[in-house]
Amino acid sequence: MSIAVVAAVGVVAMLAGTLAVAWAMFLSSHDLSVVTKVVAMAAAVSLGSALILGRWVGARSRELALAARSFGEEGDFAAPAVPATAELAELSRELAATSTRLAESRQRERALETSRRELVAWISHDLRTPLAGLRAMSEALEDGVATDPDRYLKQIRTEVERLNDMVGDLFELSRIHAGALALSPSRMSLYDLVGDALAGADPLARAQGVRLVGHRVEPVPVEVDGKEMSRVLGNLLVNAIRRTPPDGTVAVAAERGPEGVVVSVTDGCGGIPEEDLPRVFDTGWRGSHARTPPAGAGLGLAIVRGIVEAHQGRATVHNIPGGCCFEVVLPTAAS
């Protein structure tokens, strides 16, 4: 309707202007009649063409509007199959691209919601078990029926430390998700970071009968938050040690790569199913029961990814013969 009105206004204005000029030029009656007839025929043809084109464009616009309503109904946009103007075709392509982005966003939201549900389930389970044990041991001590009070007290301390670590992981993860992780980067050698992480993980490796190897570690300078990056390396090492069988090997390497500094931790876990690889760094993911450790709630690797991405880096994982390899890529420190 708007297109028809615009066309009609233009044609009428042209007709009125032409007739006014013809009258002002003092043409003869015959010439004035000819000019009037020609202008009237041109106006009629123009109006007819404008109305037909306007109806066609209007129909295409309504079809595009109906297709756009699928955003709120089915969540997907299907462009009309009939031809349209260049402008409507461009708008249709933009709507299709927006629909694709929205579909990807909904998929990420569903995956995040699934991870949250799994996290709540795992946290509930992991909290219930030590709390039940603490309650039983405290009641035994209170009633005086504990045969070895010192052992009970030691076990209570262990469970409390486990709960404290879990709460600390939850707090760290909440800061990462809220974007409130404040970094204090400084220039340091990656060799020192890896050395400290290996020293910290050595007691656990000895207890598990796992060999720690760190032969290919270059003294590459990096600009990182030492405390947070130590947590990244510690989480990766603990994860690798717990999933490597006795007499296995956990190897750490750090060297320059084409995209930055690459720190890798390889283990002997036997590999991760291909369908699970994209979810390894998701919050609450712990894989199959065979790979689930007796402690933790699937937060360690999620924290690793959050800290690494806060450093403008990335964390990845891939399978290798007999195990898997976690890689952290960090930007090289400016010279």
Side-chain angles (χ1 to χ4, degrees), residues 103 181 184 188 190 241 246 291 325:
L181 182 63
S184 301
M188 59 187 64
L190 195 59
I241 292 170
R291 289 174 48 85
C325 176

Side-chain angles (χ1 to χ4, degrees), residues 276-335:
D276 286 343
L277 283 176
R279 298 193 56 208
V280 167
F281 292 97
D282 289 351
T283 302
W285 183 88
R286 299 203 290 189
S288 64
H289 292 288
R291 289 174 48 85
T292 301
L299 305 181
L301 294 180
I303 292 174
V304 166
R305 180 175 63 179
I307 295 176
V308 170
E309 290 180 353
H311 283 85
Q312 307 303 316
R314 74 173 191 276
T316 59
V317 60
H318 60 272
N319 286 323
I320 60 174
C324 55
C325 176
F326 288 84
E327 288 186 348
V328 170
V329 181
L330 297 170
T332 306
S335 302

